[in-house]
Amino acid sequence: MIGVQYAVTGLLFLLFGFCLMMLMRWQLAYPGKPLPFLGNFLAESPVMPGGIMLPEFYNQLGAMHGTIMVFMGVVPLAVGGFGNFVLPLQIGAPDMAFPKLNMISYWFYFIGGVIMITSFFVPGGAAQSGWTSYAPLSVIAPVGQTLWLIGMAFFAGSVRNVTLGLFGFLAFFVIGVTLIVEGFRRKL
Amino acid sequence: MFGKTDPKLISESNPLGLDPKDVNGQDDIITLNQLHIPVDTPVIVDLSSKDVIHSFSLPVMRVKQDVIPGQMIPVWFEAKSTGNFEIACAQLCGLAHYRMRGFLIVESKEDFAKWLNEQAAEKAKP
């Protein structure tokens, strides 16, 4: 169940990252031209006045696209989605170990993702310093960079699924082994 | 012998931060965004930065070196043919990163010596 949650949320973030990438592609293909349909909606916004992309916004798109695709899209899909779903099946365990802890880790990931997306709407915009956030460029960046970092911290809390997932794995590895041993005992 | 440089002395008129009190720096030739080198000669470039991390990239020479504020990092290469090539910045450094570039001008050894003499004569003028 948690695996499904991770997978669906991961796919939604993947879609968001895809939209960011399409905006980047627009700027590369038609630099300085206003965006055709969405440009009318964004015309009043500070990042795309009149539908034309500002250079800060392009850097924001680059940084956030990388971050969201990798940390909010691919890793939760692979580790959270496939891991939580398939791993118990693979070893014959009824469920993942520590269900409440698992749930908290999912909500940490969700909150981290929401914080990252809200960083677009603060004055100064989202993180601009690439998805690697090298200092000193990320140190002189506006508020959005801090929100990026906070979102990343929440995501690190959720990747307990990878680290504590090892303990979780250990827990239901034990369950799985006892199931397998029981199965053998029944056969013999 | 090159003169001493200090990042604190970098300004519009002193792009390399040369120490004006250093005698060795009086005859140093300073160019902006251009790198003149002779062909078939190993060249060392000492890299440093003042504000953020950049990267000194010479695509034709297979050279790429991250430039970190507060450090002096050398990189060397040897040009095999003359021509005009591009120096690019290969690490996101802000809004103007896309247009941060310079020119690498590789000349024959005679032409380079002539250019050096011209620059020295310019520098020697009061």
Side-chain angles (χ1 to χ4, degrees):
Chain A
M1 186 54 220
I2 290 180
V4 175
Q5 274 179 311
Y6 266 108
V8 171
T9 317
L11 284 173
L12 285 173
F13 278 122
L14 221 61
L15 180 65
F16 185 70
F18 175 77
C19 297
L20 298 180
M21 182 262 295
M22 293 309 276
L23 280 173
M24 282 175 79
R25 281 191 174 186
W26 171 262
Q27 171 64 18
L28 288 173
Y30 302 104
K33 301 249 173 48
L35 201 55
F37 296 115
L38 292 175
N40 299 326
F41 297 121
L42 291 168
E44 306 300 320
S45 71
V47 285
M48 285 189 77
I52 302 177
M53 196 179 291
L54 287 177
E56 295 91 350
F57 189 51
Y58 183 82
N59 281 0
Q60 287 170 29
L61 288 176
M64 296 308 284
H65 165 75
T67 309
I68 289 177
M69 284 300 224
V70 167
F71 293 112
M72 309 288 148
V74 170
V75 170
L77 267 177
V79 177
F82 279 104
N84 278 312
F85 197 85
V86 164
L87 206 52
L89 295 174
Q90 281 175 327
I91 61 173
D95 199 357
M96 284 285 287
F98 306 130
K100 288 211 174 59
L101 206 49
N102 221 353
M103 204 48 160
I104 290 177
S105 90
Y106 167 76
W107 286 109
F108 262 45
Y109 153 59
F110 185 77
I111 292 173
V114 166
I115 290 178
M116 286 245 180
I117 295 192
T118 59
S119 75
F120 272 107
F121 299 103
V122 296
Q128 285 185 40
S129 317
W131 72 294
T132 47
S133 269
Y134 282 154
L137 187 59
S138 53
V139 172
I140 60 180
V143 177
Q145 190 71 42
T146 312
L147 281 181
W148 182 95
L149 195 59
I150 296 175
M152 195 57 76
F154 272 99
F155 176 74
S158 100
V159 180
R160 78 105 227 157
N161 237 329
V162 172
T163 54
L164 189 54
L166 293 175
F167 297 136
F169 162 73
L170 215 56
F172 63 76
F173 176 69
V174 167
I175 300 174
V177 162
T178 51
L179 281 178
I180 292 172
V181 166
E182 242 186 76
F184 277 134
R185 240 186 248 141
R186 283 207 199 116
K187 280 200 180 141
L188 294 172
Chain B
M1 187 70 195
F2 287 129
K4 232 171 357 124
T5 56
D6 190 354
K8 297 195 204 64
L9 296 168
I10 293 180
S11 70
E12 285 267 338
S13 55
N14 193 359
L16 286 175
L18 266 180
D19 191 348
K21 293 195 221 68
D22 192 358
V23 162
N24 291 321
Q26 300 303 325
D27 60 352
D28 284 354
I29 297 169
I30 301 177
T31 56
L32 216 51
N33 281 352
Q34 288 177 51
L35 199 54
H36 269 263
I37 61 172
V39 74
D40 291 327
T41 319
V43 170
I44 303 180
V45 182
D46 280 328
L47 298 163
S48 181
S49 161
K50 188 171 156 115
D51 53 356
V52 290
I53 297 182
H54 303 267
S55 179
F56 179 77
S57 164
L58 294 173
V60 284
M61 301 293 157
R62 207 182 59 212
V63 162
K64 211 176 253 197
Q65 174 60 52
D66 270 14
V67 179
I68 299 173
Q71 286 188 22
M72 182 76 87
I73 303 172
V75 68
W76 77 273
F77 57 93
E78 181 176 332
K80 291 228 165 293
S81 48
T82 59
N84 283 6
F85 308 107
E86 185 193 354
I87 310 173
C89 177
Q91 182 65 252
L92 182 68
C93 48
L95 296 179
H97 165 68
Y98 73 98
R99 57 170 189 251
M100 181 165 177
R101 46 181 18 182
F103 301 100
L104 173 71
I105 302 166
V106 185
E107 298 173 317
S108 66
K109 296 198 183 154
E110 301 82 27
D111 284 339
F112 180 71
K114 202 154 47 113
W115 178 82
L116 262 186
N117 288 333
E118 282 167 16
Q119 294 292 314
E122 287 259 348
K123 194 90 198 241
K125 277 194 238 165

